Amino acid sequence: MSKDRADRLAITALGLSGLLTGALLTLIVGHVLARGLPVIDAAFLLTAPERMGRAGGIFPSVVGTLAVTALAVAIATPLGVMTAVYLAEYTREGFFVRLCRFATAALAGIPSIIFGLFGFVLFVIRLGLGWSVLSGGLTLAIMILPIIIRTAEEAIRAVPRSWREISYALGGTRWQTVTRVVLPGALPGVLTGVMLGVARSVGETAAVILTAGTTLRLPRSPLDPVRTMAVHFFILAREGISMDQAYGTAAVLILLILGVNFVAYWLLGRITARRG
Amino acid sequence: MSTPLRACLVLACLLPLAAACRPPVRGTVITVAGSTSVLPFVEYLAAEYMHLFPDVGVNVQGGGSSAGIQAVLTGAADLGMSSRPLGAAEAAELGALPIAWDAIAIIVHHTNPVTTLTLDQVRAVFSGTAGDWADVGGRQGRVTVVTREQGSGTRGAFEEMVMRGLDTTERALVQDSNGAVREIVAADPAAIGYLSLGLVDDRVRALTLDGRPPTVEAVLTGRYELVRPFLFVLGSSPRPEVEAFVEFVLGEQAQALLAQEGLIPAAAVRGGR
Amino acid sequence: MRDERPVEMLLGLVALSTTTALVLIAVFIFIEGVPVIARVGPAQFLLGRRWAPDAGSFGIFNMLAGTVWVTVGALCLGVPLGLACAIFLSEVAPRPLARMLKPALELLAAIPSVVYGFMGVVVLVPLVRTTLGGPGFSVLAASAVLAVMILPTITSITYDSLRAVPDSYREGSLALGAGRWQTIAMVLMPAARPGILAGVILGTGRALGETMAVLMVAGNALRAPTSPLDPVRTLTANIALEMGYAQGEHRQALLATGLVLFVVIMAANSVALALSSRRAGEGG
């Protein structure tokens, strides 16, 4: 086979696989939106389900999703940002940093069902929090911590060295430099990490079903169980309760996650643009 | 920039604490936990109940019959839902009250020519000794057996009443809810499964067993025998709010709703099996 | 100047949060899982073929085998496609197109796994049943769904490693008269190999650990599969399927299943991390 023919063949094959992947993404998202969008309206989002989700809206699971996600992000963000500050600004490479990095990467690789089991054993059973917003939020917080640490650290490292030097030259302490110069500069990147954490929390099922429960009711306190949208979709679709309702829920989920990701990448684009 | 940022951080730290400290409204909340077979019906009734009494919250949670019974023993739940009778040790500490009866239907795809089987044939199919539909008088083709997971009350009842000590074939697909079993059987012309009679719809056909059709009438007259109780499990001294809810569930209106959903009212089979 | 040591110590303490979490997870899974393994005997637990919690038999061999079947299947389908996509984006597609497609591909990773599982049930399972036979819920269906799910991981990491290969390699190879494909296959891929391997291992980790999508399409039969068309139960599906109902020893046995999964995945990820840090070492 001649060199040129091999090239043409290979490039065609590569192009086709790129096309196949693109088509898969479009088909999956397109199918869900095509079936789900007609179901969505204000009433769908804002009213309670009737007869176990066969009709009505998905309001309790919207609230449940927001509650669990907000709690997870509220816990993971300060921890993650402080960790990132420490790794990027306060230490040199050494055993401690290697340990932190290994733990962060290892945590990122642990499957959600393990987080679910852990959350179930620790929060639900041992700490007696039961299936609740609190148990679910705490479990998700641990799960999204690595995402937030990694993006925050990258963003902090992307802040130009000269900014710090100016701050020190003006007599600023390290803490002042971090809080008044570095963090504001890294804010878009930090927010990107938070957004990615939100997307991961919203789409999670395995960890949430074991820790937040499946109760389809508006939570009245953080100790109440909830059914998040992802879990609601799982139950509706799997048990064939209502395909329309399932597609509608899935479409809300996908729109929410795509939207959040879009914001995240837009923010990320702004940083890279500034850096480049 | 720094002050709002710091304020945000502090707020973010305090938020979960504040949330955790807010006392839950225990006095008006009833927690029900247990069997996922009973769950959809109780959730339905709970919604009705909360509609009638908006200041009462009823949390209905799955977990399975055993988990529900355990939760009542430890006080984690006010009421347990069980689709199996209490064990001797459990019965010593707890009370059980049938809130309805549920028939288990053996279902096949609606196009399957097989409409009736004997219990022995069902046993042969589920244990794998009859692996082809032709073995039980159907079209040739491998049977896809669908069963429930280990620990499920429905599976326990099915094994006790049908399998009688025989193991279910390891080839069987295993699903963790009535609905999931129905979805598979509804989609696969070669499938057979079992579920609550109330969940049978027109995409699947419930088989006649030993010449006895799976209908509410046949259950009431005692002809169709794959019937099990749906139980509420209560501690020794339930709170008045809990008793009020139990009373509502056993009342005329709620029982009519259950019958509408395909269950057999508690009183109809009283003293039965 | 203000004394900053307290701040530094506080931050250092917080930086241990992931380490603490990792240790806590390991400790709790071990505490809950080890007693059953000890009672049953590690060999019997790992190699036993009978899983009948009601009868007190806890052997997870068939599920280990099932996990291997499904993961290997996912890699066979997902790795070639993932590598091809990465090469396409990095070496073939015009830069602006690549810059647009890469985030789009990463969105694939953000779609909830239950949506993939559902699409598998609606599209893939009937397709397998009607065209290839068997119940449709199968190793093949599970592997195909997983292949799509690990695609972003493999593509994204391979893409980054290919981009990290200096342009001088490309120019040198082309100047020596090699074709584009020869350059890709004989120069770029070997240069990017540690990164690609790390991507594949991380993808493997994701496939090993995926739960809900597999639970929905694999059929969860207890028998070990003998063909790609057989239904199969993975370690993860076993946990999710039975956890809701499990009590006492049954629950502990499921946590022990989680323990086995945890150990396997930590091992896989450690290898991937070692590989990627070696790459970083070489680069610096």
Side-chain angles (χ1 to χ4, degrees):
Chain A
M1 190 154 55
S2 81
K3 199 173 75 183
D4 284 349
R5 249 187 85 196
D7 274 5
R8 261 203 309 276
L9 209 70
I11 284 164
T12 317
L14 292 172
L16 279 178
S17 49
L19 206 67
L20 177 65
T21 310
L24 269 174
L25 174 68
T26 322
L27 274 179
I28 294 176
V29 175
H31 173 80
V32 172
L33 291 184
R35 291 279 310 261
L37 283 181
V39 181
I40 305 175
D41 54 22
F44 184 71
L45 294 174
L46 297 177
T47 60
E50 288 161 25
R51 310 188 65 228
M52 298 317 306
R54 269 174 267 179
I58 57 168
F59 186 59
S61 56
V62 173
V63 174
T65 305
L66 294 181
V68 172
T69 304
L71 185 59
V73 168
I75 297 168
T77 305
L79 288 180
V81 172
M82 283 162 86
T83 302
V85 165
Y86 187 74
L87 291 178
E89 299 288 317
Y90 279 82
T91 53
R92 292 164 184 286
E93 292 294 324
F95 171 75
F96 185 78
V97 173
R98 276 211 305 278
L99 176 73
C100 290
R101 264 190 236 293
F102 171 79
T104 308
L107 208 59
I110 289 179
S112 50
I113 184 81
I114 299 281
F115 286 107
L117 280 181
F118 167 70
F120 178 74
V121 170
L122 181 60
F123 302 129
V124 176
I125 304 282
R126 299 230 168 180
L127 296 181
L129 301 176
W131 286 295
S132 60
V133 172
L134 203 55
S135 299
L138 287 166
T139 307
L140 286 181
I142 300 175
M143 204 176 81
I144 63 174
L145 196 54
I147 306 175
I148 293 180
I149 292 177
R150 252 194 248 164
T151 31
E153 193 187 342
E154 233 169 82
I156 290 170
R157 288 193 189 280
V159 172
R161 176 173 284 277
S162 56
W163 292 19
R164 296 183 179 83
E165 280 159 4
I166 292 169
S167 167
Y168 289 132
L170 291 173
T173 64
R174 185 136 63 161
W175 179 242
Q176 285 166 337
T177 308
V178 165
T179 50
R180 299 189 192 168
V181 177
V182 177
L183 278 183
L187 195 61
V190 172
L191 287 178
T192 300
V194 173
M195 288 292 140
L196 293 177
V198 168
R200 176 93 201 264
S201 302
V202 167
E204 181 51 44
T205 321
V208 181
I209 214 168
L210 288 177
T211 54
T214 57
T215 300
L216 189 50
R217 196 170 84 82
L218 210 55
R220 296 183 183 189
S221 93
L223 288 174
D224 273 354
V226 289
R227 183 192 286 185
T228 65
M229 281 194 280
V231 174
H232 189 50
F233 166 70
F234 173 71
I235 291 174
L236 288 180
R238 189 165 161 71
E239 305 193 8
I241 293 170
S242 159
M243 283 303 141
D244 281 345
Q245 298 277 313
Y247 275 112
T249 312
V252 175
L253 259 184
I254 285 195
L255 284 181
L256 188 60
I257 287 171
L258 290 188
V260 165
N261 267 282
F262 185 78
V263 173
Y265 283 109
W266 176 73
L267 286 166
L268 201 66
R270 275 188 22 166
I271 321 172
T272 35
R274 194 183 60 203
R275 187 167 27 168
Chain B
M1 196 70 187
S2 109
T3 317
L5 188 78
R6 202 179 308 169
C8 281
L9 281 183
V10 170
L11 200 67
C13 293
L14 291 180
L15 203 76
L17 280 177
C21 291
R22 224 185 77 198
V25 270
R26 260 281 161 245
T28 54
V29 172
I30 301 170
T31 309
V32 190
S35 161
T36 50
S37 295
V38 189
L39 173 91
F41 304 104
V42 174
E43 236 170 11
Y44 182 31
L45 293 184
E48 288 297 314
Y49 192 68
M50 288 186 284
H51 194 68
L52 289 172
F53 305 97
D55 56 329
V56 180
V58 183
N59 280 334
V60 190
Q61 185 70 52
S65 298
S66 304
I69 295 167
Q70 198 60 33
V72 179
L73 275 174
T74 61
D78 298 302
L79 278 173
M81 301 176 285
S82 177
S83 54
R84 64 163 176 82
L86 296 186
E90 292 163 347
E93 288 184 66
L94 303 166
L97 198 66
I99 58 165
W101 297 80
D102 176 43
I104 295 178
I106 316 285
I107 54 164
V108 295
H109 193 259
H110 70 98
T111 62
N112 196 318
V114 174
T115 57
T116 176
L117 288 176
T118 65
L119 264 186
D120 287 335
Q121 284 175 319
V122 173
R123 199 174 306 131
V125 167
F126 274 86
S127 64
T129 49
D132 196 295
W133 277 109
D135 297 339
V136 290
R139 279 190 299 246
Q140 197 153 18
R142 201 162 90 172
V143 182
T144 302
V145 175
V146 190
T147 186
R148 291 288 305 279
E149 80 284 9
Q150 288 267 1
S152 141
T154 309
R155 176 175 174 146
F158 176 80
E159 289 191 329
E160 190 189 315
M161 293 189 285
V162 178
M163 299 309 284
R164 294 177 192 155
L166 272 181
D167 277 344
T168 305
T169 171
E170 289 203 333
R171 284 174 184 276
L173 302 185
V174 184
Q175 299 295 313
D176 57 359
S177 70
N178 278 311
V181 170
R182 182 185 59 195
E183 289 311 297
I184 291 187
V185 176
D188 186 348
I192 186 169
Y194 56 87
L195 47 54
S196 291
L197 179 60
L199 292 171
V200 172
D201 63 20
D202 52 13
R203 297 170 303 155
V204 296
R205 178 186 301 125
L207 295 178
T208 298
L209 288 184
D210 286 330
R212 292 153 185 193
T215 60
V216 175
E217 295 74 46
V219 172
L220 291 176
T221 55
R223 274 167 56 77
Y224 190 82
E225 287 180 321
L226 297 190
V227 179
R228 58 181 172 154
F230 278 174
L231 300 172
F232 262 177
V233 179
L234 293 103
S236 44
S237 50
R239 293 179 293 139
E241 306 91 278
V242 177
E243 282 181 339
F245 179 62
V246 173
E247 217 160 278
F248 165 77
V249 169
L250 292 176
E252 208 169 302
Q253 182 199 359
Q255 291 288 313
L257 287 174
L258 289 180
Q260 219 174 52
E261 294 289 308
L263 293 185
I264 293 124
V269 200
R270 191 185 298 280
R273 285 148 258 267
Chain C
M1 201 187 274
R2 206 166 41 156
D3 185 12
E4 288 219 339
R5 258 172 308 178
V7 172
E8 190 169 338
M9 273 175 63
L10 176 70
L11 287 174
L13 217 60
V14 171
L16 277 173
S17 57
T18 50
T19 314
T20 315
L22 196 64
V23 170
L24 275 180
I25 291 174
V27 164
F28 275 100
I29 303 266
F30 269 79
I31 287 179
E32 299 282 335
V34 163
V36 160
I37 300 183
R39 198 156 49 240
V40 178
Q44 187 55 37
F45 185 75
L46 291 173
L47 301 177
R49 285 173 167 272
R50 188 171 146 82
W51 174 267
D54 294 350
S57 296
F58 302 105
I60 62 167
F61 182 79
N62 287 358
M63 292 161 238
L64 275 172
T67 297
V68 171
W69 268 87
V70 167
T71 306
V72 169
L75 292 175
C76 288
L77 297 169
V79 169
L81 194 59
L83 293 188
C85 278
I87 298 170
F88 173 75
L89 288 179
S90 158
E91 307 300 323
V92 180
R95 205 93 315 238
L97 183 70
R99 257 201 288 272
M100 227 174 61
L101 282 180
K102 195 178 174 238
L105 190 80
E106 273 160 13
L107 282 185
L108 266 175
I111 294 176
S113 54
V114 278
V115 172
Y116 284 111
F118 179 59
M119 296 304 291
V121 172
V122 173
V123 180
L124 214 52
V125 167
L127 194 70
V128 171
R129 182 175 56 234
T130 48
T131 56
L132 301 171
F137 294 87
S138 56
V139 173
L140 181 63
S143 294
V145 168
L146 281 180
V148 178
M149 297 182 70
I150 64 174
L151 206 58
T153 310
I154 294 176
T155 305
S156 163
I157 295 176
T158 305
Y159 175 88
D160 290 342
S161 331
L162 282 171
R163 283 284 93 206
V165 177
D167 272 338
S168 57
Y169 282 41
R170 292 179 183 82
E171 288 150 11
S173 169
L174 292 173
L176 287 172
R180 282 175 81 186
W181 173 243
Q182 284 171 320
T183 305
I184 291 168
M186 298 166 130
V187 178
L188 300 181
M189 296 295 280
R193 200 173 59 202
I196 295 174
L197 209 56
V200 170
I201 295 175
L202 285 179
T204 310
R206 185 140 192 232
L208 283 172
E210 177 47 45
T211 309
M212 301 319 258
V214 175
L215 174 73
M216 291 167 92
V217 298
N220 313 317
L222 275 172
R223 216 172 68 108
T226 52
S227 110
L229 298 178
D230 281 346
V232 58
R233 184 184 298 192
T234 63
L235 293 171
T236 51
N238 190 45
I239 299 169
L241 196 66
E242 297 186 357
M243 198 62 197
Y245 280 109
Q247 285 299 305
E249 201 171 42
H250 187 185
R251 176 190 282 169
Q252 289 185 328
L254 293 177
L255 278 149
T257 314
L259 170 61
V260 173
L261 184 71
F262 180 76
V263 170
V264 171
I265 286 184
M266 282 300 286
N269 285 342
S270 301
V271 173
L273 289 176
L275 279 171
S276 47
S277 69
R278 206 178 70 188
R279 178 177 50 140
E282 277 167 10

